[in-house]
Amino acid sequence: MSAIQNTIRIDNQEIPFTPGQTIMDAALAAKVYIPHLCHYPGLPPSGNCRLCVVEIGNRSVAACTTPAAADQAICSNTPELNQARKALTQMLFVEGDHICPSCEKTGNCKLQAMAYYLGMLDDHFPQFYQRREIDASHPDILLDRKRCILCDLCVRASREVDGKNVFAIAGRGTQAHLIVNSPSGKLADSPLAKTDLATTICPVGAILIKQRGYQVPIGKRIYDQHTIRETTMQEHIPSCDKLKHKGHQDTER
Amino acid sequence: MTNSCQHNSFNLPQEHLLHRLHTLQREYLHISPQAMQQVAAEFNLPLSQVAGVVAFYSFFSTQPCGRFHILFSNCTSCGYLPDGQNLMQLLAQQLQVNPGKTRTDGLISIGETSCIGLCDQGASLLVNGIPLTHLNPDKIAQIAQQITANISTDEWPAEWFEIHDTIHQRNLLLTTAQPAPGSTLQQAITHGAAETLTTIQQSGLNGRGGAGFNTGKKWQLCREAPGDAHYVICNADEGEPGTFKDRVLLRHHAETLFEGMTLCAFVIGANKGLVYLRGEYRYLLSHLQAVLTQRRNRGLLGRHILNHADFHFDIDIVVGAGAYICGEESALIESLEGKSGIPRIRPPFPVTHGYLGQPTVVNNVETLIAAAHIVAYGSSWFNSVGTQKSRGTKILSVSGDCRLPGIYEYPFGVHIQQILDDCGAQKVQAVQIGGPAGKLIGAPDFNHTISFEDISTGGSFLIFGHQRDLLTVHRNFAHFFAHESCGFCTPCRIGTQLLKNNLDKIAEAHSTANDIETLKQLAFLIQHHSHCGLGHTAANHILDGLQHFPQVFTTHLNQNFVAQFDLDQALESARQITRRDDAAAHLD
């Protein structure tokens, strides 16, 4: 690896990158954690959650969408940025109805895990209490839009990996919501299966698989054992590598 | 008239999705799920994309509007709240309809919409898309009568719909004769594309939309970018509240605009141009189409322009459907491609990967008109005016509390005070330059200048007199951004909503000093963490306000702690369901 000339610095740590990689790609490859919710290695980046915003000089950029460039001096793990990440997480909490104690996803939820990781102790902002539709039409899958954080992961997973294009986000501002690409707009009418990546990739309790609630008891769930920082390093969709240069041009441009 | 794409003379693309949806909306007063399915099949698009587009743009609805559909502007200049009156409420009362809900007989619906670019015409509205200006309580009563009698808008008094463009100050672009149609193209053909580009570069022309990127540089980058096709796009999505100069330019100088687009096409090697016209300006479409037809007939558009063997170019007009964000160039391109206007990830930039992924120049209306003038009259004619870093002139849309609202063209470097004097503004408390996304200044800063190096503006110049309640202005802006945020990224989607709620809370005197801290925190977060320019600028007015007019925020504060949860308000939905509003249904 000594041939690699290209390096960036994240919080004064020298990190190699190959041309075409984003800052996030390079960081993850070097096991450097930049908090994020809407990014998943192997899927095209979206840049919507903004938790991975880092500073290069006086510029603030999303690590997941910004190409790594030689000699970038990047600040990520700073008190100010982590405070901003906490505030963004709080925003996501108040926008939806995140009922952690009674949510089946508790302990496996990335939003909850992120809140713990960032030391979030309260919501800080007033709750929105928005009305959003629940779709319980599918025999195997429940869609509760009140727990959706609009991360777009299911949209991308369904389009890029499952090849089904089941989901999309519609509407503007806080009216933005997940819609199902079926004539009735209902999940039952869509080809979504419980084994699809679009179903399993949901970081929160918006897309839940029915009839298997609490199979793993609380206390023994993912984030009961590990921090989100630790689990993030294991994430990858190997089958997606080939897709990286195809298909997702729409989102990258 | 509604379908611009049919005019394209040498390739015939499908009708634009936004136009198809507009036709449905106009005919059926809404877009039903069945209609969406039909359109999805026609266009061979996922149903979710069609449904997404319908949900994204303000001028489409899934519930039927009234046969008379009235949208009041809610801008601080052409909005429905002039001089302490509420014209929207007045009309709603007279017609017994609730804003936002269609009357049960389907005759009328009333709503509000972001600035419709009639800020120099008094309070204004759109009735079935047609602008009606100079509103006052008398006229509201007459409108109510016409609607109650079910008289078609065609038969309403014609003078109600008149728009009087007043140009108070003219400089380079507005005094000099408009170049004769085709004259600059002939020059460009004679001198070649490279030399024409050099002329633009030497002029020092910067984009007039506000960001001020160098136009010659943009054209050069696009010209050099490899691609299957190159495109030139005119951004006529003049959505910044308080801006109406493009309205005037499109009405009077469309010929020069199309000349500028064709010049750009010649320089970058484009065969196709697109004008993205904001939906609020749909009434300008027939005029613009007529000018395009005229140019085709003169051989200035189409194949072999001016008999040049390799110069083929034509222009389509795509009409938007009510989304401020589409003024952002990459969101505009998404919209042109028939999608929701979500700004793209950049880089890559449109000059290399724009419309349909191909190299694209996106320029403001005024920029393209200036380019045509520069080729006609020379770069030194242009760059001898203005300042070192801001060449030429800027056309301003002046409105608000002044005697002479209208269009003012000044050399860059003009002092704010000069503009205020010229437009008859007295006892000025504050000026918002560049619209809600721009800069708010008070009297101590009126010695500053309009220029890229000092205070930049896309054209909006909003004046607030001493009697204006600036908190109301801030709330108006905050509501605007919360409404126009595309919803893509967390800080802008949620943060603009929180800013809005926070300012409302201050106005209702439910706030404490802590809320000011929250305002600052939110403003910083939105400014630094958002995905695009809308978010980066959405909190500017609050930060400026806190700096220059802190008392606006603090005079309403409570000294004592007030619970942010209003228990009585929480019962409101229960009261609505039970249709009760008596004392026992309230907590005191």
Side-chain angles (χ1 to χ4, degrees):
Chain A
M1 298 300 280
S2 59
I4 295 173
Q5 298 294 311
N6 291 328
T7 56
I8 55 176
R9 296 183 76 85
I10 301 180
D11 298 324
N12 288 322
Q13 183 182 342
E14 196 100 357
I15 289 169
F17 75 94
T18 48
Q21 276 189 320
T22 61
I23 294 170
M24 179 69 81
D25 293 335
L28 286 173
K31 304 286 177 203
V32 170
Y33 180 59
I34 302 174
H36 57 270
L37 286 169
C38 75
H39 183 68
Y40 202 98
L43 285 178
S46 165
N48 67 68
C49 79
R50 311 308 287 178
L51 262 74
C52 76
V53 165
V54 293
E55 282 167 1
I56 307 173
N58 54 8
R59 281 196 311 143
S60 300
V61 300
C64 71
T65 59
T66 305
D71 304 324
Q72 272 167 339
I74 297 157
C75 292
S76 172
N77 191 17
T78 67
E80 294 78 16
L81 283 172
N82 286 329
Q83 174 57 37
R85 288 168 184 142
K86 188 166 91 175
L88 291 169
T89 308
Q90 288 168 322
M91 283 183 174
L92 290 170
F93 264 90
V94 300
E95 186 192 31
D97 289 349
H98 295 285
I99 47 171
C100 299
S102 56
C103 178
E104 206 286 321
K105 194 80 171 200
T106 190
N108 293 330
C109 171
K110 284 189 179 173
L111 184 67
Q112 187 189 38
M114 187 61 75
Y116 280 123
Y117 178 76
L118 295 169
M120 180 183 132
L121 299 175
D122 67 350
D123 285 346
H124 184 67
F125 304 112
Q127 286 283 338
F128 283 15
Y129 298 117
Q130 296 199 85
R131 288 181 194 184
R132 288 180 180 168
E133 258 181 64
I134 289 177
D135 182 348
S137 63
H138 195 287
D140 299 325
I141 301 158
L142 175 75
L143 170 60
D144 182 355
R145 293 182 174 86
K146 287 183 292 192
R147 290 178 243 180
C148 174
I149 57 170
L150 300 166
C151 70
D152 194 56
L153 279 171
C154 61
V155 178
R156 283 172 279 158
S158 187
R159 191 177 58 214
E160 309 289 337
V161 181
D162 305 332
K164 294 183 180 179
N165 197 21
V166 168
F167 293 110
I169 291 171
R172 212 163 75 193
T174 47
Q175 300 298 309
H177 61 285
L178 197 63
I179 60 170
V180 177
N181 186 25
S182 69
S184 62
K186 295 286 183 194
L187 266 189
D189 212 8
S190 80
L192 187 68
K194 64 179 172 185
T195 49
D196 287 352
L197 183 63
T199 309
T200 55
I201 202 166
C202 182
V204 289
I207 301 174
L208 289 169
I209 296 172
K210 292 178 174 177
Q211 278 128 28
R212 66 166 212 201
Y214 300 98
Q215 278 180 353
V216 179
I218 290 170
K220 300 213 181 288
R221 296 182 165 205
I222 301 168
Y223 301 110
D224 297 326
Q225 324 287 328
H226 306 281
T227 66
I228 191 167
R229 179 194 181 120
E230 290 158 359
T231 59
T232 295
M233 298 306 165
Q234 320 302 324
E235 286 174 348
H236 192 54
I237 310 165
S239 64
C240 265
D241 278 351
K242 288 191 207 90
L243 289 156
K244 277 199 87 176
H245 299 288
K246 196 180 138 277
H248 68 274
Q249 289 162 344
D250 275 353
T251 39
E252 272 208 328
R253 272 182 204 141
Chain B
M1 169 186 137
T2 51
N3 179 7
S4 66
C5 294
Q6 282 173 359
H7 292 286
N8 195 320
S9 55
F10 55 91
N11 61 8
L12 284 167
Q14 201 171 25
E15 182 180 14
H16 197 276
L17 178 66
L18 292 183
H19 295 182
R20 180 81 180 93
L21 293 172
H22 167 74
T23 306
L24 287 168
Q25 175 76 39
R26 196 187 49 193
E27 275 181 38
Y28 302 104
L29 306 175
H30 75 302
I31 300 169
S32 67
Q34 293 76 19
M36 288 186 225
Q37 283 183 41
Q38 194 191 325
V39 170
E42 276 172 28
F43 283 74
N44 195 23
L45 288 173
L47 176 59
S48 56
Q49 183 176 337
V50 177
V53 166
V54 170
F56 190 85
Y57 296 91
S58 291
F59 292 171
F60 299 138
S61 59
T62 52
Q63 299 299 314
C65 298
R67 293 192 292 285
F68 291 93
H69 182 51
I70 288 186
L71 289 173
F72 281 89
S73 167
N74 59 18
C75 153
T76 54
S77 286
C78 58
Y80 60 86
L81 294 167
D83 313 320
Q85 307 163 92
N86 187 331
L87 300 177
M88 180 167 77
Q89 203 179 26
L90 203 60
L91 186 66
Q93 277 165 0
Q94 291 177 12
L95 291 167
Q96 297 185 316
V97 59
N98 289 320
K101 284 191 180 138
T102 305
R103 209 168 78 176
T104 45
D105 65 357
L107 180 70
I108 171 80
S109 53
I110 295 177
E112 56 183 284
T113 191
S114 301
C115 177
I116 55 178
L118 292 164
C119 315
D120 55 341
Q121 309 290 314
S124 299
L125 58 76
L126 295 171
V127 50
N128 298 339
I130 314 163
L132 210 151
T133 59
H134 300 289
L135 298 174
N136 54 43
D138 281 349
K139 201 179 267 182
I140 290 290
Q142 292 174 50
I143 293 169
Q145 279 173 11
Q146 302 276 340
I147 291 172
T148 306
N150 202 0
I151 296 170
S152 160
T153 51
D154 300 340
E155 294 166 43
W156 293 12
E159 67 268 21
W160 287 5
F161 300 102
E162 280 171 12
I163 297 170
H164 302 281
D165 297 325
T166 319
I167 299 172
H168 295 285
Q169 287 281 340
R170 295 168 184 269
N171 209 285
L172 283 185
L173 299 185
L174 299 176
T175 46
T176 320
Q178 299 299 306
S183 60
T184 72
L185 301 182
Q186 192 60 61
Q187 285 191 46
I189 290 170
T190 308
H191 296 117
E195 200 179 317
T196 308
L197 176 61
T198 306
T199 305
I200 299 294
Q201 287 171 326
Q202 284 172 347
S203 74
L205 173 65
N206 288 337
R208 266 40 180 164
F213 192 83
N214 183 273
T215 306
K217 183 84 187 158
K218 190 183 266 188
W219 290 17
Q220 185 197 350
L221 288 170
C222 186
R223 175 181 155 88
E224 288 167 357
D228 301 331
H230 288 58
Y231 295 97
V232 48
I233 292 172
C234 169
N235 183 345
D237 192 49
E238 182 178 51
E240 192 65 46
T243 321
F244 50 87
K245 50 112 188 157
D246 288 348
R247 181 198 86 213
V248 177
L249 292 174
L250 290 165
R251 274 161 67 92
H252 304 284
H253 300 304
E255 184 82 51
T256 315
L257 166 65
F258 297 141
E259 184 98 1
M261 286 179 75
T262 315
L263 273 174
C264 176
F266 185 71
V267 168
I268 67 171
N271 291 330
K272 180 163 177 172
L274 292 153
V275 175
Y276 189 83
L277 182 70
R278 69 187 303 226
E280 292 81 350
Y281 287 176
R282 178 176 288 279
Y283 61 95
L284 300 176
L285 184 60
S286 55
H287 162 66
L288 297 174
Q289 295 288 16
V291 177
L292 284 178
T293 304
Q294 216 171 47
R295 285 181 73 84
R296 286 188 194 105
N297 294 340
R298 285 179 178 159
L300 302 176
L301 284 174
R303 292 192 67 79
H304 305 295
I305 290 172
L306 293 172
N307 300 318
H308 190 284
D310 306 318
F311 191 6
H312 318 303
F313 180 67
D314 212 324
I315 297 172
D316 280 340
I317 302 173
V318 174
V319 187
Y324 166 74
I325 187 61
C326 291
E328 197 278 345
E329 61 177 4
S330 68
L332 183 152
I333 291 170
E334 288 284 297
S335 185
L336 283 176
E337 292 181 2
K339 294 181 250 174
S340 299
I342 310 278
R344 293 176 176 177
I345 294 166
R346 300 185 305 171
F349 291 93
V351 281
T352 57
H353 296 77
Y355 181 61
L356 305 177
Q358 301 302 320
T360 304
V361 162
V362 183
N363 275 153
N364 182 267
V365 172
E366 188 183 343
T367 312
L368 288 159
I369 289 176
H373 276 86
I374 288 163
V375 172
Y377 301 110
S379 52
S380 53
W381 167 83
F382 185 81
N383 67 19
S384 57
V385 172
T387 69
Q388 193 68 28
K389 288 181 180 164
S390 312
R391 302 296 189 172
T393 61
K394 184 75 196 90
I395 301 177
L396 300 176
S397 319
V398 174
S399 71
D401 302 326
C402 64
R403 204 161 41 80
L404 300 167
I407 297 293
Y408 292 74
E409 185 188 15
Y410 290 104
F412 273 111
V414 63
H415 287 89
I416 310 296
Q417 187 60 53
Q418 163 98 49
I419 303 168
L420 293 173
D421 292 344
D422 289 347
C423 71
Q426 286 171 343
K427 295 187 184 169
V428 177
Q429 184 181 186
V431 186
Q432 180 77 31
I433 300 167
K439 198 168 175 55
L440 176 70
I441 58 166
D445 289 323
F446 291 169
N447 59 347
H448 280 260
T449 63
I450 300 284
S451 58
F452 295 111
E453 59 269 36
D454 194 351
I455 299 178
S456 176
T457 171
S460 178
F461 192 95
L462 298 164
I463 301 165
F464 302 118
H466 71 287
Q467 79 289 3
R468 282 260 191 167
D469 174 17
L470 284 185
L471 184 59
T472 307
V473 172
H474 284 296
R475 284 175 66 199
N476 178 292
F477 292 171
H479 280 251
F480 167 75
F481 285 116
H483 178 69
E484 296 295 347
S485 166
C486 81
F488 171 79
C489 76
T490 309
C492 180
R493 180 180 73 241
I494 306 172
T496 54
Q497 202 70 28
L498 288 167
L499 282 182
K500 178 188 98 167
N501 295 345
N502 200 328
L503 288 178
D504 287 352
K505 191 179 163 197
I506 291 175
E508 289 156 10
H510 283 136
S511 286
T512 55
N514 194 36
D515 288 294
I516 303 293
E517 288 311 306
T518 304
L519 268 187
K520 287 179 189 165
Q521 183 205 3
L522 281 169
F524 183 85
L525 199 62
I526 298 169
Q527 203 172 42
H528 288 86
H529 287 253
S530 294
H531 170 61
C532 80
L534 188 152
H536 297 153
T537 55
N540 284 357
H541 69 97
I542 293 175
L543 292 169
D544 288 344
L546 285 168
Q547 188 186 342
H548 301 307
F549 304 96
Q551 72 286 357
V552 165
F553 301 88
T554 51
T555 46
H556 297 268
L557 293 186
N558 257 295
Q559 294 310 310
N560 302 315
F561 171 79
V562 187
Q564 66 183 9
F565 183 76
D566 184 341
L567 210 49
D568 185 62
Q569 189 56 40
L571 288 174
E572 185 54 34
S573 55
R575 280 194 292 267
Q576 278 178 9
I577 293 165
T578 55
R579 295 172 186 233
R580 280 183 57 184
D581 201 22
D582 55 292
H586 284 273
L587 303 163
D588 56 1

